[in-house]
Amino acid sequence: MNQNPENENSRKSRFGLILHLHPRKMKASTLRFNLTFGLGGMAALLVVLQVITGLLLKFHYEPSPENAYNSILNLQESLLFGRMLRSIHHWSAIVLLWITFLHLLRVIFTGAYRKPRQSNWIFGLSLIILVVLSNFTGYLLPWDQLSYWAVTISTSLLAYIPVAGSFIREALLGGQEVGQATLTNFFNLHTGIIPLLMVIIMGYHFWRVRKAGGVILAEKDKDSPMIDTQPHLVNREFVVAMVLLAFVFIISSLFDAPLRERANPSFSPNPAKAPWYFMGLQELLIHFHPFFAIVVFPLTVLIAACRLPYIRLEDTNQGIWFLSDKGIRSAKFSLAAAIVLTVLFIGLSELLPDPELLLPSVTSLITKGLVPFAILSVTFYLFLKYIQRKFSLNRSEIIQSVIIVMIVSYTVLTLTGIFFRGAGMNLMWPWQV
Ligand code: HEM
Ligand code: HEM
């Protein structure tokens, strides 16, 4: 017990903010690092870092096609630490995307999306969408060849959304093509609307964690003794924060944020590629009808993600990564199978004759959309039935395997798009691209 009331008061004021975010006391088992890996806290810190560096960049940046590129050059060359500031904003945006994604995986794998945390799962989904949108809207701002054409390619995909597609695209671009109106829209979204929404949702997100009685714990850990949050948790969070900041600062001092030549709307690079996080979709577009690649697949994943907390599961075991050895074996098997099957799919799609040319009288919505989608769905279903039998899995474990297959497949598609597609988006070895 603290004997000195003065010390106690100064300690309270020093940790006032932190203790608003945390309860005064917590279960000792919450400290186990591999329960959360501190990923949610890291994401929060990176958002704060983005807001601070973003505000500083805003002093110097001019959102017009004539001046944007020069303002960045000027920032890098004549402002003390200008280059470093830009690099920190650039690299921490990427690290934030990775950390948020890993946090999502940890939530799935520890079963923390289930009741009573289901609303936090849904709001979490909106947070990761906002993180992607922040990255995407920021991408255009330097106004170099890379950013101009990546945004042109990505926004052109919107036109494939039925009925409202062209309207959404034009509203976002502020016209038919990427220009002043687009830059203004992206700038306002990037520096105003998206960060504001993010901060509000994050506030709610943290409050829900408190309402649920803290992070999820395994049954066996629920009776662990109560300890003071400060210093036990706060000190650990401080160490994680310092390591993360050091990592971002070191990367930023070693590698400058890329800047190509000024955007030239009349010269398209070949190939013009979307930002790396959308490359999986661009790759999918090569194999499927655009309606399926851009609408059906992403929408199916989104609907499935929203439904996830409401699937009835047999087990009540939460707070641990894998429920059993067979779950681990099935996860490894799914990982290997997803790599092999996705590579096989890309290879076959390349070697087999194009169904559009083979059956020119049938709409490509069927030959390159419905038919391959149906084949893929049936293969996926049979695969799940097979692993369920082979490893006698329960529903939680099947969900884990499904998620592994989806993530690994998207990763293979993304890597193919980034490293193995050259001019005309033809398959090539990375050293030829
Ligand atoms: C989660 C939040 C944020 C993310 C993920 C993010 C991401 C990005 C990215 C990827 C870029 C392109 C960087 C480059 O390669 O040059 C960028 C640029 C920029 N961002 Fe952000 N940003 C965020 C928040 C903010 C905020 C809150 C502001 C200002 C209030 C801001 C202001 C800017 C400015 C002025 C640029 C242009 C300068 C440049 O491109 O170097 N950002 N942002
Ligand atoms: C900017 C992005 C995000 C931030 C800053 C954030 C922050 C946090 C923090 C600090 C926690 C508590 C500690 C921890 O679990 O590490 C947490 C828990 C949680 N987050 Fe996030 N999060 C973000 C994105 C997401 C996403 C993308 C999802 C899922 C779709 C998600 C779902 C959850 C859930 C369900 C919990 C409760 C976990 C539990 O009780 O064990 N969050 N988040």
Side-chain angles (χ1 to χ4, degrees):
M1 221 179 68
N2 199 327
Q3 299 293 325
N4 184 343
E6 238 174 69
N7 277 356
E8 177 67 359
N9 281 343
S10 76
R11 204 170 71 114
K12 267 186 196 160
S13 62
R14 251 187 300 143
F15 294 103
L17 174 69
I18 293 169
L19 289 174
H20 266 90
L21 293 173
H22 291 308
R24 199 158 276 280
K25 286 192 176 284
M26 53 181 287
K27 295 221 166 79
S29 49
T30 313
L31 290 179
R32 202 157 42 82
F33 187 60
N34 66 2
L35 183 63
T36 65
F37 292 99
L39 291 162
M42 287 196 229
L45 176 66
L46 287 169
V47 172
V48 173
L49 185 65
Q50 284 308 85
V51 172
I52 296 172
T53 50
L55 284 171
L56 292 173
L57 285 169
K58 212 176 162 189
F59 280 118
H60 222 77
Y61 178 77
E62 291 183 47
S64 74
E66 297 77 35
N67 300 328
Y69 186 76
N70 279 351
S71 69
I72 300 264
L73 278 183
N74 193 274
L75 167 96
Q76 295 196 148
E77 264 133 49
S78 42
L79 192 78
L80 189 66
F81 291 123
R83 192 181 290 271
M84 180 71 179
L85 181 64
R86 177 163 179 256
S87 296
I88 293 175
H89 197 74
H90 174 90
W91 293 117
S92 55
I94 294 174
V95 178
L96 171 64
L97 192 51
W98 274 104
I99 298 271
T100 310
F101 178 64
L102 292 176
H103 172 59
L104 177 148
L105 286 189
R106 110 70 192 147
V107 167
I108 294 180
F109 278 82
T110 55
Y113 55 85
R114 290 153 80 168
K115 214 173 158 196
R117 296 174 171 81
Q118 70 275 39
S119 73
N120 232 5
W121 165 259
I122 303 285
F123 278 91
L125 288 177
S126 64
L127 278 176
I128 197 163
I129 292 173
L130 287 172
V131 170
V132 172
L133 289 180
S134 306
N135 266 285
F136 182 58
T137 49
Y139 208 93
L140 181 68
L141 303 187
W143 205 256
D144 63 350
Q145 271 295 73
L146 193 68
S147 68
Y148 182 91
W149 286 102
V151 169
T152 302
I153 288 288
S154 315
T155 49
S156 69
L157 303 181
L158 290 173
Y160 294 110
I161 300 175
V163 191
S166 306
F167 171 76
I168 298 173
R169 181 175 172 271
E170 270 182 46
L172 191 63
L173 296 191
Q176 287 297 336
E177 48 193 57
V178 178
Q180 171 67 67
T182 321
L183 190 54
T184 310
N185 284 353
F186 274 49
F187 181 71
N188 291 336
L189 282 169
H190 186 78
T191 60
I193 297 167
I194 297 175
L196 187 70
L197 278 177
M198 230 152 114
V199 169
I200 295 172
I201 297 177
M202 271 166 58
Y204 178 78
H205 196 64
F206 298 159
W207 176 70
R208 291 298 318 182
V209 176
R210 286 286 296 266
K211 278 282 281 182
V215 292
I216 196 159
L217 288 176
E219 257 344 293
K220 65 177 174 50
D221 289 334
K222 285 195 174 143
D223 300 327
S224 76
M226 298 297 277
I227 51 167
D228 284 335
T229 303
Q230 205 290 310
H232 297 288
L233 177 64
V234 175
N235 284 5
R236 282 173 165 80
E237 285 179 332
F238 183 74
V239 172
V240 172
M242 288 303 119
V243 171
L244 177 66
L245 288 181
F247 175 73
V248 171
F249 288 0
I250 290 171
I251 297 282
S252 308
S253 58
L254 292 178
F255 307 100
D256 289 342
L259 188 69
R260 301 276 171 86
E261 56 279 24
R262 180 197 301 272
N264 179 355
S266 48
F267 174 69
S268 157
N270 186 6
K273 292 188 179 178
W276 62 271
Y277 37 88
F278 288 149
M279 273 315 292
L281 282 183
Q282 200 179 348
E283 176 65 30
L284 216 51
L285 204 62
I286 298 174
H287 310 284
F288 284 92
H289 184 279
F291 176 66
F292 277 81
I294 305 306
V295 182
V296 176
F297 278 107
L299 211 61
T300 311
V301 173
L302 187 67
I303 293 173
C306 292
R307 283 268 310 124
L308 188 60
Y310 306 100
I311 298 176
R312 269 208 294 135
L313 302 170
E314 308 91 338
D315 60 279
T316 51
N317 205 350
Q318 302 181 342
I320 51 174
W321 281 72
F322 290 99
L323 294 176
S324 64
D325 273 351
K326 50 190 175 51
I328 298 178
R329 272 187 284 126
S330 161
K332 287 182 185 160
F333 181 79
S334 305
L335 185 138
I339 297 177
V340 173
L341 290 177
T342 315
V343 171
L344 205 67
F345 165 76
I346 296 172
L348 280 180
S349 161
E350 195 70 17
L351 294 175
L352 294 176
D354 189 343
E356 271 179 297
L357 302 177
L358 224 56
L359 297 165
S361 55
V362 184
T363 164
S364 63
L365 193 64
I366 294 183
T367 52
K368 266 196 105 171
L370 206 57
V371 172
F373 184 73
I375 295 175
L376 204 73
S377 307
V378 172
T379 315
F380 195 47
Y381 178 76
L382 293 177
F383 175 76
L384 292 184
K385 282 274 153 212
Y386 173 72
I387 54 167
Q388 186 182 11
R389 283 252 179 92
K390 183 173 163 71
F391 299 104
S392 34
L393 306 175
N394 66 23
R395 273 203 195 161
S396 291
E397 290 167 327
I398 295 179
I399 290 175
Q400 291 188 341
S401 292
V402 169
I403 284 157
I404 290 173
V405 170
M406 283 184 352
I407 290 168
V408 173
S409 298
Y410 192 76
T411 310
V412 173
L413 290 172
T414 304
L415 293 176
T416 309
I418 296 176
F419 297 110
F420 294 89
R421 293 274 170 199
M425 290 303 274
N426 289 317
L427 271 185
M428 283 178 194
W429 293 112
W431 49 91
Q432 296 174 314
V433 171

